[in-house]
Amino acid sequence: MPSSAFFRGTLVFCAAFFCLQATAQVDQTYARDPGQAIDQDYTQRIGKYTTLPELNSSLTDYLPASTTVPTPAKALGDVAGAPDMLPYAEDTYRYFHMLEAASPRVKVFTIGHTEEGREMIAVAVADESLLKNYKENDARLAKLADPRTINMNDATAAELVKQSVPVYYITGTIHSTETGAPTALMELAYRLAVDDSPYIQYIRSHMITLITPVVEVDGRDRMADIYKWHKAHPNENYPRLIYWGHYVAHDNNRDAMTLTLNLSHNVLDTYLAWHAQVLHDLHESVPFLYDNTVGDEPYNAWLDPILTNEWQMIGWNNVQEMTKFGMPGVFTHGDFDTWSPGYLMFMAAMHNGISRLYETFGNGGADTVERILTPDEYSRTWFRQNPPYPKVKWSQRDNNNYEQTALLVSLSYFAQNAQTFLNNFYLKSKRSILKPNDSGPAAYVLPANEESRDRQRMLLDILRGQHVEISKTTEAVTVAVPAGAKRENKDKSDDKDAKPESLKTEQRTFPAGSYVIRMDQPYSRIADALLDRQYWAPNDPQKTPYDDTGWSLPALFSVEAVRVTEPAILKTPMKLVEDEAAAKSTLGSGAIFLIANHADPGMITLRYLLKNATVLVTDAPFTTGGRQFPAGSLIVKDVPADEMKSALEKSNLTATAANAAPSVAAHAIGAPRIAMMHTWLTTQTEGWWRQALDKLGVPYDYISTQTVSGEDDLRSKYDVILFAPVGARTPQIIQGLPMWGNPLPWKKTDLTPNLGRIDSTDDMRPGLGYSGIDHLRHFVEQGGLLVTSQDTAQFAIDTGLAPGVSIVTHGDLKVVGTLLGTAVVNPKSPILYGYDKPLTVYSEDGLSLNVSNTVGGMRGPRFGGGDERPTGRGGPDDPDTPQGRRFVAPEERPKPKPWEPMPLNEEQMRNNPNVVPVELRPQVVLRFADKDALLVSGLLDHGDLLAQHAAVVTAHLGKGSVLLFANNPIYRGETIGSYPLVFNAILNFDHLGQAANSAH
């Protein structure tokens, strides 16, 4: 039997064994309470709205009646999941407050607010006695969550387990187009509070169910608006949900690492405040119900194996019980890899809990429609023995039936096995504390002498947000650290008899004040996962990674974090530090202020805070008062000391006061006028750029491609236009959506009060158009800077805005959200101000650039490509010799490096209008590293095809420039180290040309 088949067979056997063991403890057979009345009208409507009998179960095909507790119909006007009805978040909240007022088994809590100020809630449902004493229960769970409080005593933990009940946290509708969860959770809460069947009674008497019905509240209200518009215009196309949350759409479920969104903080803080054991997130994209928690390989490398076993236990039990109910299309395993910790559910996995996720079938609204599945969706596989139907009439009620049934099955299983899962919760917490003594490491050290305190602070803030303990040394410490990674050559690694070299170490002294992230703490796993490197093997059986394969935050922040395996580090005198306030600036005397540039994101914040100051940026390094200042440092004049101190504290920078400006070449920088341009195709990725600017206090106008299409004098308004990645090809950016059919408005009206807040249009269909391309060209020619990245860099190339630049075709290269090393090509470029060490960049798919001295971007044939010798005499390195004539040796052809243009000879330049003038030729700022230094984290296959190619290029048109990033420098709040590339370009937008660089 092949190994993969053996694994799968073993997996199914083990899962079945676990399920049988667990279900043997308590009979899970469902039966109604014969003494409890049924709400006949509500039950009749459930049957009416369910399209096939087998798309429901005996758990949810009725609703018990209550004379005191209102059903969802009281708030909605119809049953949960009724057709043509999509309630707003406030309607959902109103119902939960009605439940709370009517039943002592329900409590509602505010857990925070969104970026637009909307409330987020959590609803606790359990027996009255459990809710009355939930704080006492939480105090016991807190001790299990941090076994240090009970001296790691297993006997004490066992007593706490016996006295406690678990908390199971369910979240819904983080993805706004997935619309069924709020109503399903409304009805679920009613059932848990009212139903007196033994099955439900056992759940509510043995656990607390915690519910956040709407995670992305801003997006939910916009989706409800769109659905209302759709119902008011039944025969027309309706607008797509172009904005979900205030910043990002689908990627809000990739924010669990850096916690840049309010919803991420609110959910994580709630999960940890309740010391919950499970975080179960509800999604809708797969027929009919995919319990994707079991997932596929590779599993995240920092997880406790206890957790991965729990996934199998709960997931396969879910499939087994729902199959018994006769419900088709329920499966687990699938092809979702559980590698990345960026998903919302992974907050539990990385904090010693259990992450869970359902993908239920949904229609993106409350219409009842016939759905036609694809063969890969309805095929029978080893993990999907009871697949969904090839064609089905599907309703929102069907969705609610599946979600509720699956949740009740999981809640029942968890309640029946509460003691096991609570003990596992304790064990996982204990094993996290013991990491230094088994799997390691002992700690990570962030040295006190880090030049960029700003970027280091930002990384520490993320760890604090993850509730990771941070310590600070009170004296210097010397420990053994890795001497540096040494790659074995391929021949040696292929030798089965070769023995791996032992890891060499060296002694290193860290100064007092260094930060230590100890691994002997409960939440060591999330710290380890974020600070370590990742490696995805090119030959891994999983060929389609679901998301990014690398995310090492120290590399992305360009901050040093040293992995220390020597346990002696933990004996160093240190103190626990809480949230550190910004250091108070002590400027000294003098009316001129000098700020060293270490590629700090706060540099751009400072410039916009000091609107009326005179600010110069130095074109070369200098030394004053015994302190060295890199090129790009700021000289600030004409600002009161108090205003300067305030600005420095807000931007997390320090300054040195001087009586006179240093003697160094410098140029003045203003506060450039910025526009952020978006399309009406998608705003997913550009939202991360908007968020970065907002968080750093950088003002900008938010304009669409339609605005640019109609504005022929952009330069009079803006100095810089940012065009972040779009997720679309050049023809789509130009043309927009097809113009047939009806207009697609996105604006605030009485019918759609939540649309148009971020931007608005009467019709989303028109794109940039060719007039927009002309307007962008004029903007650049008149001295503006256009910043592009990934597909918008491709757009600039395709539309002639970047003469001499082209895209490299890489063939077999494979990069999937990988962190890659770079090397400096043009150290004089202002774009690189503040950078003094190799920079790691994020690459989505391995895009790279070519530069040329002719328009069209063709580099010409290169040695090793078009320069192979023809067939003839001699060997491969010998010249061919024509017979019967004198041998004339050709001139040796130039052999440019992959990032360099092919030099032109006189023949090529003669009468050639395609030759780019010298002063307008593109400049390579950064290139990708050599092959051996290219991979930093993640998946890289055939990296030799990418090595040394251009990564960041400045092209020129007229008086202005177009900056092209092959990477995405501002992404998910993770790429802090590359933010200043963009910010340097903004502040020095008029000093990026060839002449300016030469002067530097």
Side-chain angles (χ1 to χ4, degrees):
M1 178 183 292
S3 59
S4 60
F6 175 79
F7 168 77
R8 291 171 176 173
T10 304
L11 181 68
V12 175
F13 170 80
C14 291
F17 174 75
F18 286 136
C19 293
L20 288 173
Q21 270 204 319
T23 54
Q25 297 174 12
V26 179
D27 185 7
Q28 293 193 71
T29 304
Y30 182 73
R32 299 181 188 176
D33 176 14
Q36 187 172 30
I38 302 302
D39 187 321
Q40 296 296 342
D41 179 67
Y42 199 107
T43 299
Q44 185 272 330
R45 289 173 182 265
I46 290 175
K48 178 182 177 182
Y49 301 146
T50 299
T51 59
L52 291 170
E54 62 267 32
L55 303 183
N56 207 345
S57 72
S58 55
L59 292 175
T60 56
D61 63 2
Y62 75 100
L63 197 77
S66 173
T67 58
T68 57
V69 180
T71 70
K74 297 294 184 182
L76 301 176
D78 207 335
V79 306
D84 308 323
M85 178 186 70
L86 201 64
Y88 288 93
E90 63 184 37
D91 299 325
T92 305
Y93 293 176
R94 183 169 60 252
Y95 175 68
F96 282 111
H97 284 294
M98 292 168 63
L99 269 183
E100 180 184 36
S103 172
R105 297 170 177 169
V106 180
K107 286 187 178 293
V108 181
F109 303 87
T110 297
I111 64 171
H113 294 80
T114 68
E115 282 78 4
E116 296 180 5
R118 294 179 176 88
E119 182 187 20
M120 289 180 65
I121 67 169
V123 183
V125 188
D127 268 352
E128 181 178 1
S129 61
L130 294 185
L131 289 186
K132 183 179 180 180
N133 300 305
Y134 81 91
K135 290 186 178 180
E136 289 82 356
N137 185 70
D138 182 66
R140 293 189 293 271
L141 294 179
K143 293 177 181 178
L144 297 176
D146 187 356
R148 296 173 300 181
T149 61
I150 56 172
N151 298 316
M152 312 283 276
N153 189 298
D154 294 349
T156 303
E159 288 301 313
L160 290 169
V161 166
K162 291 178 183 178
Q163 300 165 17
S164 305
V165 296
V167 178
Y168 196 110
Y169 188 18
I170 304 168
T171 55
T173 313
I174 186 173
H175 285 163
S176 304
T177 56
E178 300 167 6
T179 56
T183 51
L185 293 172
M186 290 165 70
E187 190 173 287
L188 177 71
Y190 176 89
R191 294 180 187 279
L192 291 174
V194 172
D195 200 325
D196 288 333
S197 67
Y199 192 95
I200 303 297
Q201 278 190 337
Y202 197 92
I203 293 173
R204 68 169 174 255
S205 64
H206 286 78
M207 66 189 305
I208 297 173
T209 302
L210 195 64
I211 298 170
T212 291
V214 183
V215 172
E216 179 54 271
V217 188
D218 297 336
R220 173 65 179 195
D221 285 357
R222 283 190 265 274
M223 185 65 193
D225 274 3
I226 285 179
Y227 191 71
K228 280 172 56 181
W229 193 96
H230 161 57
K231 300 311 291 186
H233 304 79
N235 298 316
E236 299 183 17
N237 292 325
Y238 51 91
R240 293 186 290 181
L241 192 65
I242 190 71
Y243 296 98
W244 298 18
H246 188 75
Y247 291 116
V248 295
H250 191 273
D251 261 12
N252 59 11
N253 194 36
R254 304 295 186 273
D255 191 50
M257 288 189 283
T258 52
L259 305 174
T260 68
L261 302 173
N262 288 9
L263 65 83
S264 303
H265 276 286
N266 295 340
V267 170
L268 177 60
D269 290 349
T270 301
Y271 174 79
L272 295 179
W274 281 80
H275 299 98
Q277 284 63 61
V278 180
L279 177 55
H280 192 147
D281 199 26
L282 303 181
H283 290 254
E284 298 170 22
S285 66
V286 179
F288 293 146
L289 188 134
Y290 172 32
D291 186 328
N292 88 338
T293 310
V294 172
D296 199 0
E297 59 185 332
Y299 279 4
N300 182 280
W302 295 265
L303 297 177
D304 191 315
I306 292 177
L307 166 62
T308 60
N309 293 336
E310 289 171 320
W311 284 347
Q312 308 290 343
M313 294 168 63
I314 304 173
W316 289 108
N317 178 76
N318 230 143
V319 175
Q320 175 176 272
E321 294 303 309
M322 293 186 72
T323 302
K324 287 180 182 178
F325 283 127
M327 303 180 79
V330 180
F331 66 101
T332 191
H333 185 74
D335 57 7
F336 167 76
D337 67 76
T338 53
W339 175 245
S340 169
Y343 313 110
L344 187 80
M345 67 166 178
F346 245 76
M347 291 175 176
M350 305 311 295
H351 292 83
N352 303 319
I354 303 173
S355 52
R356 302 271 290 129
L357 189 146
Y358 287 155
E359 292 279 7
T360 316
F361 208 27
N363 292 337
D367 290 358
T368 300
V369 296
E370 184 173 80
R371 301 293 300 275
I372 302 173
L373 276 58
T374 58
D376 64 305
E377 291 176 317
Y378 63 75
S379 61
R380 184 176 63 82
T381 66
W382 74 267
F383 57 81
R384 188 172 54 206
Q385 289 291 311
N386 181 20
Y389 301 144
K391 181 186 291 187
V392 64
K393 187 176 183 181
W394 190 262
S395 68
Q396 184 94 319
R397 182 64 217 185
D398 297 331
N399 166 282
N400 280 202
N401 294 338
Y402 269 76
E403 283 193 351
Q404 286 188 77
T405 297
L407 285 170
L408 287 169
V409 166
S410 285
L411 291 172
S412 174
Y413 184 75
F414 210 80
Q416 311 291 357
N417 297 277
Q419 301 288 291
T420 296
F421 289 118
L422 283 173
N423 188 61
N424 285 354
F425 178 63
Y426 161 73
L427 288 175
K428 287 180 290 185
S429 301
K430 179 180 178 180
R431 285 153 63 102
S432 292
I433 296 168
L434 295 174
K435 264 177 70 68
N437 299 317
D438 47 53
S439 58
Y444 288 85
V445 180
L446 282 66
N449 54 1
E450 175 70 50
E451 287 190 329
S452 177
R453 305 292 285 183
D454 188 20
R455 282 184 274 108
Q456 186 185 70
R457 174 197 58 81
M458 296 171 82
L459 178 56
L460 291 170
D461 283 347
I462 288 174
L463 295 173
R464 287 191 184 95
Q466 295 285 358
H467 295 248
V468 171
E469 296 171 0
I470 301 171
S471 299
K472 201 171 188 179
T473 60
T474 56
E475 60 184 53
V477 56
T478 300
V479 293
V481 301
K486 181 180 180 181
R487 298 186 183 211
E488 298 178 346
N489 62 52
K490 182 173 175 58
D491 292 337
K492 185 174 180 180
S493 63
D494 286 346
D495 184 355
K496 295 181 180 180
D497 297 325
K499 295 181 180 180
E501 294 182 6
S502 58
L503 182 64
K504 295 181 179 180
T505 61
E506 61 188 10
Q507 296 297 113
R508 177 168 175 182
T509 299
F510 296 100
S514 294
Y515 294 98
V516 179
I517 314 301
R518 303 173 63 105
M519 292 293 104
D520 57 348
Q521 60 170 298
Y523 300 145
S524 62
R525 296 194 187 281
I526 181 61
D528 197 11
L530 297 183
L531 298 176
D532 206 351
R533 294 173 62 190
Q534 298 76 42
Y535 178 72
W536 184 300
N539 63 350
D540 192 280
Q542 176 62 266
K543 299 305 180 185
T544 55
Y546 195 78
D547 201 68
D548 295 340
T549 57
W551 58 80
S552 180
L553 293 190
L556 285 169
F557 278 59
S558 197
V559 168
E560 188 177 22
V562 182
R563 189 175 190 265
V564 179
T565 58
E566 186 177 331
I569 185 69
L570 302 177
K571 298 178 181 179
T572 303
M574 63 183 77
K575 60 182 180 180
L576 197 64
V577 294
E578 303 297 335
D579 188 11
E580 294 180 303
K584 297 293 183 181
S585 297
T586 54
L587 299 175
S589 60
I592 295 175
F593 306 102
L594 311 177
I595 299 97
N597 187 346
H598 295 295
D600 300 293
M603 295 291 277
I604 196 168
T605 303
L606 182 70
R607 183 61 193 94
Y608 282 95
L609 287 171
L610 302 175
K611 296 178 182 178
N612 300 317
T614 300
V615 180
L616 304 177
V617 60
T618 63
D619 298 324
F622 66 94
T623 301
T624 183
R627 183 179 178 187
Q628 295 181 341
F629 289 78
S633 295
L634 302 184
I635 303 172
V636 181
K637 308 175 182 178
D638 306 323
V639 59
D642 288 346
E643 182 181 345
M644 189 69 197
K645 285 183 179 181
S646 175
L648 288 168
E649 290 168 7
K650 291 177 181 176
S651 53
N652 293 286
L653 298 173
T654 59
T656 299
N659 293 316
S663 178
V664 61
H667 63 271
I669 56 170
R673 303 164 299 166
I674 303 171
M676 168 72 77
M677 181 173 70
H678 71 92
T679 72
W680 287 102
L681 299 169
T682 173
T683 60
Q684 166 75 302
T685 309
E686 61 89 5
W688 296 116
W689 290 53
R690 284 192 290 118
Q691 184 195 64
L693 295 178
D694 287 347
K695 284 181 178 289
L696 290 166
V698 180
Y700 61 94
D701 285 352
Y702 188 55
I703 63 175
S704 76
T705 49
Q706 294 178 1
T707 305
V708 172
S709 178
E711 177 58 68
D712 60 0
D713 189 13
L714 294 166
R715 187 67 184 91
S716 67
K717 295 182 178 180
Y718 307 115
D719 301 309
V720 179
I721 295 177
L722 305 178
F723 195 17
V726 172
R729 297 183 181 276
T730 298
Q732 293 174 288
I733 294 172
I734 298 171
Q735 297 165 13
L737 298 172
M739 291 301 294
W740 51 69
N742 55 278
L744 302 175
W746 184 277
K747 60 184 181 179
K748 182 178 180 179
T749 66
D750 291 341
L751 185 65
T752 56
N754 299 292
L755 304 189
R757 175 169 181 157
I758 305 170
D759 199 2
S760 62
T761 179
D762 290 327
D763 189 357
M764 295 168 60
R765 295 176 300 166
L768 177 66
Y770 292 100
S771 62
I773 297 173
D774 288 339
H775 296 161
L776 287 175
R777 179 185 300 276
H778 295 157
F779 166 79
V780 175
E781 289 175 340
Q782 293 165 12
L785 170 65
L786 175 64
V787 179
T788 64
S789 172
Q790 296 185 161
D791 53 16
T792 58
Q794 173 82 68
F795 158 82
I797 293 168
D798 292 343
T799 55
L801 297 175
V805 187
S806 62
I807 298 294
V808 180
T809 301
H810 284 308
D812 293 332
L813 172 71
K814 189 167 186 179
V815 166
V816 183
T818 304
L819 311 191
L820 301 172
T822 63
V824 171
V825 174
N826 184 7
K828 293 183 178 181
S829 171
I831 295 169
L832 294 179
Y833 281 162
Y835 288 100
D836 62 352
K837 57 186 178 182
L839 178 66
T840 295
V841 299
Y842 167 85
S843 177
E844 181 181 39
D845 57 8
L847 181 73
S848 67
L849 306 170
N850 272 335
V851 293
S852 170
N853 292 326
T854 60
V855 293
M858 298 302 294
R859 298 183 68 249
R862 290 184 58 250
F863 182 78
D867 284 351
E868 296 93 345
R869 63 151 292 179
T871 301
R873 67 148 297 279
D877 298 321
D878 295 319
D880 190 26
T881 305
Q883 301 298 304
R885 45 155 279 190
R886 177 172 59 89
F887 174 71
V888 179
E891 291 185 5
E892 184 176 355
R893 290 179 60 85
K895 302 173 184 178
K897 301 295 185 182
W899 68 87
E900 296 175 332
M902 172 68 76
L904 300 177
N905 59 33
E906 293 179 3
E907 183 73 22
Q908 294 165 325
M909 295 180 66
R910 184 181 303 115
N911 193 32
N912 186 353
N914 291 323
V915 175
V916 180
V918 173
E919 69 275 9
L920 295 180
R921 289 178 182 174
Q923 301 162 280
V924 177
V925 178
L926 280 179
R927 65 170 175 86
F928 288 108
D930 298 347
K931 179 184 176 182
D932 289 344
L934 185 57
L935 176 62
V936 176
S937 177
L939 167 62
L940 176 64
D941 195 11
H942 294 285
D944 55 305
L945 299 175
L946 177 62
Q948 299 187 338
H949 282 285
V952 180
V953 174
T954 308
H956 307 287
L957 272 177
K959 299 177 181 179
S961 302
V962 177
L963 182 57
L964 302 97
F965 287 96
N967 61 302
N968 186 349
I970 302 179
Y971 175 72
R972 292 184 178 176
E974 298 173 10
T975 58
I976 300 299
S978 58
Y979 278 22
L981 296 175
V982 178
F983 300 155
N984 282 339
I986 291 173
L987 293 176
N988 299 277
F989 76 94
D990 53 353
H991 280 71
L992 302 182
Q994 292 271 23
N997 277 204
S998 299
H1000 298 167

